[in-house]
Amino acid sequence: MATVRNIGVIAQLRSEASSHVIRFRNGRLRQSGRGLVFWFRPETASISEVPVDDREMTLFVRGRSRDFQTVVLQGTIGWRVVDPELLASRIDFSINLGTGRLQGEPIERIEARLSGIAGQAALQYLGASPIGPLLDAGPEPLRAVLEQVLFAAPALAEIGVAAVSVRLTNLAPTSELERALQTPTFEALQQKADAATFARRALAVEKERAIAENELATKTELARRETVLIAQEAENARDRAAGLAEARGLEAGTEAERIRLVEGARAEAEQRRAAIYRDMPPAVLLGLAARELAGKLETIEHVNVTPDLMAAFLGEIRGVLPARVAPR
């Protein structure tokens, strides 16, 4: 924006290097250039200030696809003035000579023309295709179309303005349509997630089944080994019992044989003794019996000898003596 300093009937204007100033006096062009500084008389002067730096404007287009679906386009358009004098002759860029400010809104008029040209091209592009291909292609094809249209637009060249860049940041449907379009993809992803979950669960079940089979096989093998062990222990017990019975049988037989031999010897000794006693006289047997009895008695308190016993005893003695001792 130019700076104006008023001193009485004259004033001084100082402009920036990014502004092109055009001064008329009494309807005639007196000065034209960038970054001018000059004195002038306000009552006879008319001054225009045209910005010549690069500028950007916001582009927003709401259109419909060929299948009547709403699509929103957002981006920016870069533009600049290429012929300031031509632009000043077509659009009013005059400034207030007291404040240096633009009296109208010429920038908005230029941007409105740019927006109209870009919007018309965008609507034609959106209406030529269904919503699916538009969204699949993205904003790049439309950006190329807008560049081609804006760079060669006669409506811009005839006022001394040129588009220098087109950037599109978004090409999207409405939120309702976006949710509807996302549903099949979401369902497909959900199905894949469910399939992965089911596969993971099936794998877990398979692993659990394998573990259970291994445990059952282990238990079966342990039971088989236990059966074999029990059978072996029973066989060993039977062998031990048979061996013990055989040993006891042998021991019983040996003991019986020993008893038989002892009893036989004892019986033979008794027979021999009986034979000896059988040949002895009764008196001798009586003496032996008395001696045997005396050996078994510890004390004899008294002995009763009756006359009959004494007579029998003496008779026995007399019967024995004549056979062995001759009388004198």
PDB file of all heavy atoms in Angstrom, residues 1 24 44 71 98 127 199:
ATOM      1  N   MET A   1       0.850  -1.182   0.000  1.00  0.00           N
ATOM      2  CA  MET A   1       0.000   0.000   0.000  1.00  0.00           C
ATOM      3  C   MET A   1       0.891   1.239   0.000  1.00  0.00           C
ATOM      4  O   MET A   1       1.867   1.325   0.741  1.00  0.00           O
ATOM      5  CB  MET A   1      -0.911   0.008   1.234  1.00  0.00           C
ATOM      6  CG  MET A   1      -1.882   1.168   1.259  1.00  0.00           C
ATOM      7  SD  MET A   1      -2.891   1.203   2.766  1.00  0.00           S
ATOM      8  CE  MET A   1      -1.667   1.586   3.996  1.00  0.00           C
ATOM      9  N   PHE A  24      -2.127   9.890 -13.415  1.00  0.00           N
ATOM     10  CA  PHE A  24      -2.711  10.697 -14.480  1.00  0.00           C
ATOM     11  C   PHE A  24      -2.880  12.132 -13.973  1.00  0.00           C
ATOM     12  O   PHE A  24      -3.222  12.347 -12.799  1.00  0.00           O
ATOM     13  CB  PHE A  24      -4.086  10.145 -14.903  1.00  0.00           C
ATOM     14  CG  PHE A  24      -4.031   8.792 -15.563  1.00  0.00           C
ATOM     15  CD1 PHE A  24      -4.073   7.625 -14.805  1.00  0.00           C
ATOM     16  CD2 PHE A  24      -3.952   8.708 -16.941  1.00  0.00           C
ATOM     17  CE1 PHE A  24      -4.031   6.409 -15.412  1.00  0.00           C
ATOM     18  CE2 PHE A  24      -3.917   7.464 -17.558  1.00  0.00           C
ATOM     19  CZ  PHE A  24      -3.944   6.311 -16.800  1.00  0.00           C
ATOM     20  N   THR A  44      -5.575  17.858  -9.164  1.00  0.00           N
ATOM     21  CA  THR A  44      -5.439  17.614 -10.606  1.00  0.00           C
ATOM     22  C   THR A  44      -4.960  16.194 -10.925  1.00  0.00           C
ATOM     23  O   THR A  44      -4.760  15.864 -12.109  1.00  0.00           O
ATOM     24  CB  THR A  44      -4.433  18.605 -11.214  1.00  0.00           C
ATOM     25  OG1 THR A  44      -3.150  18.445 -10.594  1.00  0.00           O
ATOM     26  CG2 THR A  44      -4.927  20.034 -11.028  1.00  0.00           C
ATOM     27  N   VAL A  71     -19.823 -33.949  -4.679  1.00  0.00           N
ATOM     28  CA  VAL A  71     -18.375 -34.017  -4.511  1.00  0.00           C
ATOM     29  C   VAL A  71     -17.870 -32.625  -4.161  1.00  0.00           C
ATOM     30  O   VAL A  71     -18.306 -31.627  -4.752  1.00  0.00           O
ATOM     31  CB  VAL A  71     -17.670 -34.534  -5.782  1.00  0.00           C
ATOM     32  CG1 VAL A  71     -16.176 -34.689  -5.532  1.00  0.00           C
ATOM     33  CG2 VAL A  71     -18.278 -35.837  -6.231  1.00  0.00           C
ATOM     34  N   GLY A  98      -5.839  10.915  -0.061  1.00  0.00           N
ATOM     35  CA  GLY A  98      -5.582  11.384   1.296  1.00  0.00           C
ATOM     36  C   GLY A  98      -4.965  10.295   2.174  1.00  0.00           C
ATOM     37  O   GLY A  98      -4.114  10.571   3.016  1.00  0.00           O
ATOM     38  N   GLY A 127     -18.995 -33.683 -13.542  1.00  0.00           N
ATOM     39  CA  GLY A 127     -20.240 -34.203 -14.104  1.00  0.00           C
ATOM     40  C   GLY A 127     -20.042 -35.205 -15.213  1.00  0.00           C
ATOM     41  O   GLY A 127     -21.005 -35.843 -15.644  1.00  0.00           O
ATOM     42  N   ALA A 199      -9.130 -68.305  12.015  1.00  0.00           N
ATOM     43  CA  ALA A 199      -7.954 -69.138  11.729  1.00  0.00           C
ATOM     44  C   ALA A 199      -7.085 -69.274  12.971  1.00  0.00           C
ATOM     45  O   ALA A 199      -6.566 -70.357  13.282  1.00  0.00           O
ATOM     46  CB  ALA A 199      -7.160 -68.545  10.572  1.00  0.00           C
TER      47      ALA A 199
END
